[in-house]
Amino acid sequence: MSSKLVTIDRHILEQQRKFPNATGAFSELMSGIALAAKIIARETTRAGIAGILGAADHLNIHGEEQQKLDVFADQTIFRMCDHIGRLCLMVSEENDDVIPIPDEFPVGNYILVCDPLDGSSNIDVNGTLGTIWGVYRKMSHSERGTLEDALQPGLGLVAAGYVIYGPSTMFVYTTGMGVHTFTLDPSVGEFLLTAENLRTPDSPKYYSVNQGKEKFWTPGVRAYVQWLQGLHVESQQALDARYTGSLVADFHRNLLCGGVYLYPGEMPGSPRANGKLRLLYEAGPLAFIAEQAGGYASDGTGNVRCVKPSQLHQRTPLFIGNRALVEQAERFIRLSDQQWLDQYEPSRVMLKVS
Ligand code: FBP
């Protein structure tokens, strides 16, 4: 922890001083997201007492049962960011369509995409949860933004971050100038800087995958996971397995200690042939952070930040963490999964970036 007490607002302002034309838009947006995170953190810590555990008796667009905390987190982020005059649109895992800014509020040039509460299966068992978010700049001339403004590849992100609701609440973000972490000090109600310019260690320790899905894996993915387990003659030492059911929690550990998280595309024809996680507001933002920390994120065929979404809630396979580990996954898939590649590659738009 740095000796001086640095809040998120101060850190953003110091970062923006490096950009003479910076408008301060970010600090206001980040303050809105940080305030939402504090309110969500308060609710997650007393969820059992506040009667906010359990299902909300409503299915989201993915046909999944929404949890009360999912809905609370979604509404909280919306309310803390809709009036600040910096956004023209929002996208959330919990809402079928783009979320327009209410007419009574001024609009800005940015789009906020978010997974309000990641790791929903952990809510009722007091497991770690998270919030994932990303910010895009509006591309169209429409004052209040369009669907096309939201359907941008991860390469277009101007900022991204996540909040982790664990033993402590942490706020991690990047604006393309390194990855910085803050920890919530409940005694002052402020996120205080705890690390700057985070880098993923080169020697990895962990791999994170739902091994219970092995029967649906393609041959290349099965061989890759065996390689991670050190079951291949030429492979390096076996990595330890860690899987919490929360992408944010597993990603954060692997970011700090070195490792790889994967949620692969399953055998062609199965419901998860294109993976489970969402490209726009789960894979994209975390891929930006991974790269800023020296890592890499792939859909199994190439940089997931180069995939242009054609739908808001498009799913993608995800391999994210140490670059060497993720590139090895791409090699195993290229080697052994032609049938899966023939089904998957035509289903997504991968931008060619020189
Ligand atoms: P949600 O955003 O709906 O929680 O889904 C994402 C997620 O919960 C990740 O956090 C986690 O890594 C994964 O799905 C768990 O999925 P599974 O239970 O299939 O392993």
Side-chain angles (χ1 to χ4, degrees):
M1 175 157 184
S2 61
S3 56
K4 53 188 184 171
L5 287 185
V6 179
T7 64
I8 291 176
D9 297 349
R10 174 175 173 180
H11 194 258
I12 285 282
L13 286 175
E14 286 175 0
Q15 289 247 316
Q16 289 193 325
R17 284 209 191 99
K18 297 176 190 155
F19 286 83
N21 332 332
T23 61
F26 271 158
S27 45
E28 286 160 12
L29 192 48
M30 299 276 277
S31 312
I33 300 168
L35 179 54
K38 293 174 193 171
I39 297 168
I40 297 168
R42 180 197 69 201
E43 289 309 302
T44 57
T45 48
R46 62 192 195 98
I49 307 162
I52 200 168
L53 290 178
D57 302 330
H58 181 267
L59 296 184
N60 65 19
I61 186 172
H62 320 289
E64 292 154 351
E65 195 168 43
Q66 276 186 322
Q67 304 297 306
K68 290 179 188 162
L69 258 175
D70 281 326
V71 177
F72 177 84
D74 181 53
Q75 291 170 350
T76 302
I77 292 171
F78 184 66
R79 289 212 190 95
M80 293 307 120
C81 296
D82 63 357
H83 57 285
I84 51 181
R86 295 297 177 181
L87 295 176
C88 58
L89 273 183
M90 284 196 232
V91 172
S92 158
E93 179 184 24
E94 302 307 330
N95 289 266
D96 304 0
D97 301 316
V98 292
I99 311 165
I101 299 299
D103 294 343
E104 72 257 36
F105 296 132
V107 289
N109 295 326
Y110 294 100
I111 293 115
L112 176 66
V113 299
C114 72
D115 175 0
L117 205 64
D118 168 69
S120 310
S121 60
N122 281 353
I123 294 173
D124 292 357
V125 294
N126 198 22
T128 300
L129 301 166
T131 291
I132 309 171
W133 57 271
V135 177
Y136 288 96
R137 191 173 281 112
K138 182 176 65 153
M139 309 302 277
S140 73
H141 300 297
S142 127
E143 195 212 357
R144 301 191 87 86
T146 66
L147 173 61
E148 256 329 285
D149 283 316
L151 294 175
Q152 297 185 46
L155 284 176
L157 283 165
V158 289
Y162 60 87
V163 184
I164 184 164
Y165 309 103
S168 67
T169 299
M170 293 186 73
F171 186 102
V172 180
Y173 88 99
T174 187
T175 54
M177 297 190 291
V179 176
H180 316 293
T181 76
F182 298 76
T183 300
L184 181 61
D185 180 339
S187 67
V188 288
E190 278 290 353
F191 283 105
L192 300 178
L193 183 67
T194 38
E196 269 191 304
N197 302 316
L198 211 62
R199 301 295 292 178
T200 299
D202 291 336
S203 50
K205 287 178 75 175
Y206 302 112
Y207 74 97
S208 307
V209 65
N210 183 341
Q211 195 85 32
K213 304 277 186 198
E214 182 166 351
K215 70 177 181 188
F216 303 113
W217 290 349
T218 57
V221 168
R222 184 169 289 115
Y224 173 61
V225 173
Q226 288 167 354
W227 177 82
L228 291 169
Q229 295 165 333
L231 297 172
H232 282 226
V233 278
E234 82 281 356
S235 64
Q236 88 256 32
Q237 103 287 349
L239 300 182
D240 286 330
R242 294 283 187 282
Y243 191 73
T244 64
S246 162
L247 165 62
V248 164
D250 291 326
F251 174 79
H252 187 69
R253 180 197 325 97
N254 296 337
L255 187 71
L256 299 183
C257 306
V260 61
Y261 167 103
L262 57 148
Y263 207 112
E266 294 171 358
M267 288 300 283
S270 76
R272 296 256 164 91
N274 287 9
K276 173 190 181 183
L277 302 171
R278 288 78 186 191
L279 175 64
L280 192 57
Y281 44 77
E282 290 178 318
L286 294 183
F288 187 19
I289 295 167
E291 270 186 28
Q292 283 287 309
Y296 171 53
S298 168
D299 66 350
T301 73
N303 190 338
V304 77
R305 299 186 67 209
C306 298
V307 179
K308 182 182 176 332
S310 38
Q311 294 137 29
L312 283 181
H313 304 285
Q314 180 172 332
R315 296 181 189 273
T316 181
L318 183 63
F319 301 79
I320 187 167
N322 286 67
R323 176 171 284 279
L325 295 181
V326 176
E327 287 175 345
Q328 187 68 341
E330 292 176 341
R331 274 188 220 104
F332 274 98
I333 289 170
R334 258 198 310 280
L335 206 62
S336 316
D337 291 347
Q338 195 52 50
Q339 199 199 347
W340 177 80
L341 289 165
D342 294 345
Q343 165 266 319
Y344 171 71
E345 288 190 315
S347 73
R348 56 96 178 88
V349 179
M350 175 70 91
L351 302 180
K352 297 250 174 309
V353 180
S354 50

